[in-house]
Amino acid sequence: MKRKAFLLVTTAVALAIPPAAMAVRWRDAQRAGDAFAQGEAALSAPLERAPTPESLDWHRAEEGFARARTLDPGGDAAHRADALYHVARAYESLSRGELVLAQTESTTAARMLPDDPHVKFAVAVVTLRRGDAARAERLFDALDHTPDVPAPVRARAGVHHADVLLDAGRAHDALGLVEQLDRSFHQSAPVANRVGLVRAAVGDTEGALAAFEHARSLDPRDATPLVNLARLARSRGETANARTLLEQALAVDEHSGEAWLAYGVVLSELGASQSVAARAAVQRAARLRPDDAEPWVAQGDLDLRESHWTQAIESFREALQRNPAHAGARTNLGVALARTGDRAGAMRAFHEATERAPNTGAAWNGLGAMRLAAGDAAGAVGPLQQASALLPEDPNPALNLGLALLRLQRWNDAANAFRETLRRDPTNERAAEHLAMLQPDATERARILAGARLARR
């Protein structure tokens, strides 16, 4: 009897185990779902709270996804959590400037969950950070056209897409995109800022002003709208107003590298009396944005302005280490090298700039001028013609072209180049003198020279 009772108890316990195990699994699945939601919420923070992917709370996301895959191993939630864990790790790597690791993490996530919007966005961002803007644009465009993308991801993809188009000089393509974004996210300060940037790029100054003021009203703690308003003021020649706006921006956020950089540039335009303060502002921007090329470009520009050729070379090379594709830095490196007498180095820098950025007129002019200085007038003509077309109001390419044609004894073409120089700059006495020399009539020679002198007064 006792044995029979013992068997009954054992059987009852054995029958009770599966439901208990199921209850534990159910609780773990619930906890895994909560942990996953924590991780996804961190990746879905509003654009206003985390304007860049690196500023997302990737640490909280990693914790949530790691717990989710531990609590529900083998489940659907664990599979998605595993992929998004690598997304969070990609953002962690980006925050540390580790682009290779970021690419590895985003590629792993894409292999595991290729259709997830968070994964697609991470791949696009890492692609952009690695310098492949064309592929990044395609990825952002695909996200724009993907249904059921969470609103924060759509907003982030949209502003990044607009940035890519702006950087490529395709402001009109960006206009429709940002206006659509503005309709969906009208209360978003970062979106309003992009609207302003795009409208400014297409020449709609009033529309840009309204957009920046709207962004400023949406987030008074953000210095970015004030910086953008200062840029508008500077473009209109209102340097003092730009300075005031930037001082307001720095009062809002004294750690804004963007504001310090813009402040340094504006101070440099106020004259030699502000050069020390301008350099201090630019150097502070460089400390706040150690991976950004722009503060080093600005510092190089200051060096050029003050005839510090060696320091300028070092500054532009620092900029190019951070962004090898920066056409302005490479062009101005050529200028600084030319000033030190390194013609070969200057020619190489200008040539590389024209190859990397064929629409950089100053680089074509520098390349042509260096070939002319080296005695290769025939080789100078093509680059100088290209520079003259790209810089339709700059007298220097036309003057250099005239000098090259003069050496080649192409008298009529040289005369036309000097006439074009004087159209662009009626006070250019050098062009007037060469054009006068090409005239057979003494009266015409005197008229040309007198016209240049009169214009100069």
Side-chain angles (χ1 to χ4, degrees):
M1 191 67 182
K2 287 182 180 180
R3 180 178 177 82
K4 185 176 181 182
F6 175 75
L7 289 172
L8 287 172
V9 170
T10 304
T11 302
V13 170
L15 289 172
I17 289 174
M22 287 177 65
V24 170
R25 287 195 62 187
W26 182 84
R27 284 196 303 272
D28 284 348
Q30 288 290 104
R31 290 164 61 196
D34 292 342
F36 181 87
Q38 170 193 311
E40 189 169 36
L43 293 186
S44 301
L47 189 60
E48 295 74 22
R49 198 166 73 219
T52 65
E54 298 96 314
S55 63
L56 289 165
D57 191 350
W58 44 262
H59 181 69
R60 181 174 171 81
E62 285 179 20
E63 283 185 341
F65 295 134
R67 283 210 339 272
R69 63 184 186 178
T70 300
L71 288 166
D72 187 25
D76 290 340
H79 176 66
R80 191 167 178 227
D82 205 10
L84 296 190
Y85 174 81
H86 289 287
V87 168
R89 293 268 295 175
Y91 295 152
E92 178 185 3
S93 298
L94 284 179
S95 72
R96 295 173 177 167
E98 298 169 344
L99 287 176
V100 175
L101 286 177
Q103 184 180 34
T104 300
E105 297 289 355
S106 63
T107 301
T108 301
R111 193 164 52 243
M112 299 172 70
L113 206 65
D115 296 325
D116 185 273
H118 290 290
V119 173
K120 287 182 175 180
F121 177 68
V123 171
V125 167
V126 172
T127 300
L128 180 61
R129 294 287 194 276
R130 286 183 61 83
D132 190 349
R135 181 168 178 254
E137 182 192 338
R138 292 193 296 272
L139 293 168
F140 287 130
D141 187 61
L143 266 172
D144 289 342
H145 293 90
T146 300
D148 302 324
V149 174
V153 178
R154 186 174 297 282
R156 281 193 174 82
V159 297
H160 277 76
H161 193 178
D163 289 345
V164 171
L165 292 172
L166 276 176
D167 289 343
R170 294 162 54 196
H172 285 90
D173 291 341
L175 186 59
L177 171 64
V178 296
E179 288 179 344
Q180 181 180 349
L181 268 179
D182 193 38
R183 286 191 291 271
S184 300
F185 304 97
H186 190 64
Q187 297 305 308
S188 169
V191 169
N193 267 311
R194 290 324 189 282
V195 173
L197 290 172
V198 173
R199 287 180 178 164
V202 299
D204 180 8
T205 303
E206 293 305 314
L209 182 64
F212 292 140
E213 290 289 2
H214 180 51
R216 185 181 178 184
S217 68
L218 288 171
D219 189 358
R221 299 167 300 174
D222 184 9
T224 307
L226 287 161
V227 174
N228 290 331
L229 286 166
R231 289 190 179 120
L232 271 185
R234 178 172 167 250
S235 71
R236 297 195 299 264
E238 301 169 5
T239 310
N241 184 29
R243 177 179 182 172
T244 300
L245 286 164
L246 289 167
E247 287 170 351
Q248 292 175 10
L250 290 168
V252 169
D253 182 5
E254 65 175 337
H255 300 295
S256 170
E258 184 182 26
W260 280 110
L261 175 60
Y263 190 50
V265 171
V266 166
L267 289 177
S268 72
E269 294 175 347
L270 289 172
S273 64
Q274 299 294 325
S275 62
V276 174
R279 189 174 291 276
V282 169
Q283 289 173 343
R284 183 158 185 179
R287 291 193 295 273
L288 289 166
R289 301 169 66 172
D291 299 321
D292 188 1
E294 294 301 335
W296 289 99
V297 173
Q299 190 160 306
D301 290 341
L302 284 170
D303 294 329
L304 283 180
R305 189 171 299 178
E306 296 170 6
S307 302
H308 299 154
W309 315 126
T310 303
Q311 293 94 316
I313 291 168
E314 293 172 358
S315 296
F316 292 128
R317 282 179 172 158
E318 287 285 348
L320 290 168
Q321 282 187 1
R322 290 158 176 78
N323 181 8
H326 200 296
R330 200 169 292 280
T331 300
N332 283 341
L333 173 62
V335 172
L337 288 167
R339 292 290 188 174
T340 64
D342 184 358
R343 288 182 180 175
M347 199 177 301
R348 186 164 54 252
F350 289 132
H351 181 69
E352 288 174 356
T354 60
E355 285 189 327
R356 288 174 176 269
N359 292 324
T360 308
W364 286 107
N365 184 55
L367 179 60
M370 284 297 99
R371 287 182 177 175
L372 184 61
D376 182 12
V381 170
L384 292 171
Q385 287 174 331
Q386 185 78 355
S388 194
L390 289 168
L391 302 170
E393 301 305 320
D394 187 344
N396 292 308
L399 176 62
N400 288 332
L401 178 59
L403 295 173
L405 293 167
L406 197 63
R407 290 191 190 180
L408 294 170
Q409 300 182 9
R410 292 169 54 179
W411 315 121
N412 290 335
D413 292 335
N416 288 335
F418 293 132
R419 287 191 186 96
E420 177 61 18
T421 305
L422 289 169
R423 184 195 68 78
R424 300 178 183 195
D425 176 14
T427 69
N428 195 304
E429 290 190 0
R430 191 175 182 195
E433 289 169 0
H434 282 293
L435 181 59
M437 288 170 54
L438 293 168
Q439 306 306 310
D441 185 84
T443 303
E444 181 63 13
R445 289 199 296 270
R447 188 192 66 78
I448 291 169
L449 292 170
R453 293 189 187 105
L454 184 63
R456 191 169 184 179
R457 288 176 193 164

